[in-house]
Amino acid sequence: MCRLYGMTFARLFPAKVILCYHNVHDAKKTTRGWLSASRSVDADMFKMQMKWLKQVGEIVTLDSICSASKPSKSYEFSITFDDGYFNKIDTVIPILQEHDIPMTWFVSTGFVDDPNYLPWWDLIDLAIEKSRSVLDLEKVLPGNAKFSSVGEQTAWMNNTLRNTLKSSSCTQRDVIVDAFKTALSESIELPANSFSRPHELSSIAGIDLIEIGGHTVTHPN
């Protein structure tokens, strides 16, 4: 069906499409620090997607797709990644180089500079996937974090905590995250984050197909 779509509709109605990815997971490789596989596209699936995009259209740079020029006779795609996770270097870039595909990578530098600086969304995933008991989260959101089961706690993290952090100011968010880390560290050893490091970003900065952009320092919502 995808091939049929690419040979019919995509040819009749050319358009420009910017694709925003975050992570690509390769089960054969050791993950740096902590990153939930649920937040990633499988590497084999990503390869299939890249091959299909090239079949139905043209993959161009972000500068090109953002220009005023009209798209070609088929779709034009641009590949972007957010945040700065290391899997871009050890998994994504080799795949893109194999297929001669350009990418723009928007990096949040605070997590790159400090390996112990875990993004709040990774902390929530870590707590949900690794915690086997009810945590003492009363200091995280006072009066709003008492649970009778791990299931209740998981639902609260996925909804109340996640939405609160998204809507908080940066100062409020940091206070909540610090309290959450303290509570979580009492039952789980906190790992390093799974972001790239400065010297690794420098090592790929000169690759022709790769453009590095800014995605803030602390990733406010």
Side-chain angles (χ1 to χ4, degrees):
M1 290 301 297
C2 286
R3 187 180 298 275
L4 177 63
Y5 174 85
M7 299 306 295
T8 55
F9 188 87
R11 301 296 185 191
L12 296 174
F13 301 97
K16 296 183 176 185
V17 181
I18 298 173
L19 299 175
C20 175
Y21 289 90
H22 286 77
N23 295 296
V24 174
H25 174 70
D26 188 341
K28 298 184 292 292
K29 296 181 179 179
T30 302
T31 302
R32 164 183 290 173
W34 167 255
L35 177 63
S36 174
S38 65
R39 289 193 170 273
S40 305
V41 177
D42 177 76
D44 290 335
M45 175 60 70
F46 182 70
K47 291 178 184 178
M48 291 174 61
Q49 291 175 359
M50 294 302 102
K51 289 179 181 179
W52 181 76
L53 291 175
K54 295 198 74 170
Q55 288 175 357
V56 303
E58 182 182 6
I59 304 179
V60 300
T61 64
L62 189 62
D63 278 345
S64 176
I65 209 167
C66 288
S67 69
S69 63
K70 293 183 179 180
S72 61
K73 295 181 180 179
S74 63
Y75 274 114
E76 285 185 359
F77 302 102
S78 184
I79 307 301
T80 73
F81 276 86
D82 278 358
D83 295 338
Y85 289 95
F86 179 67
N87 55 50
K88 254 66 75 195
I89 291 178
D90 77 338
T91 301
V92 173
I93 290 177
I95 293 174
L96 297 181
Q97 288 179 312
E98 179 183 351
H99 298 284
D100 197 31
I101 294 174
M103 171 189 82
T104 301
W105 183 10
F106 297 104
V107 178
S108 295
T109 55
F111 305 108
V112 171
D113 290 333
D114 184 359
N116 295 317
Y117 187 12
L118 275 78
W120 62 260
W121 54 91
D122 284 345
L123 279 170
I124 291 177
D125 286 342
L126 177 65
I128 290 173
E129 295 186 27
K130 298 296 185 180
S131 178
R132 297 294 180 266
S133 60
V134 174
L135 304 173
D136 181 9
L137 301 178
E138 179 62 21
K139 294 181 180 179
V140 178
L141 290 179
N144 195 356
K146 293 182 179 180
F147 318 104
S148 59
S149 69
V150 173
E152 284 185 6
Q153 177 176 270
T154 296
W156 179 84
M157 289 179 185
N158 264 330
N159 295 287
T160 302
L161 181 58
R162 199 179 296 275
N163 291 331
T164 298
L165 288 169
K166 284 183 177 181
S167 60
S168 297
S169 68
C170 290
T171 301
Q172 292 172 322
R173 183 197 65 182
D174 290 345
V175 170
I176 296 170
V177 169
D178 284 344
F180 186 50
K181 285 181 66 176
T182 298
L184 188 57
S185 65
E186 293 177 357
S187 62
I188 300 173
E189 183 178 354
L190 298 183
N193 69 40
S194 57
F195 278 66
S196 305
R197 302 293 168 245
H199 69 280
E200 293 166 340
L201 287 170
S202 296
S203 71
I204 57 97
I207 298 177
D208 289 340
L209 295 172
I210 309 303
E211 179 182 33
I212 298 178
H215 195 51
T216 78
V217 176
T218 61
H219 202 291
N221 194 36

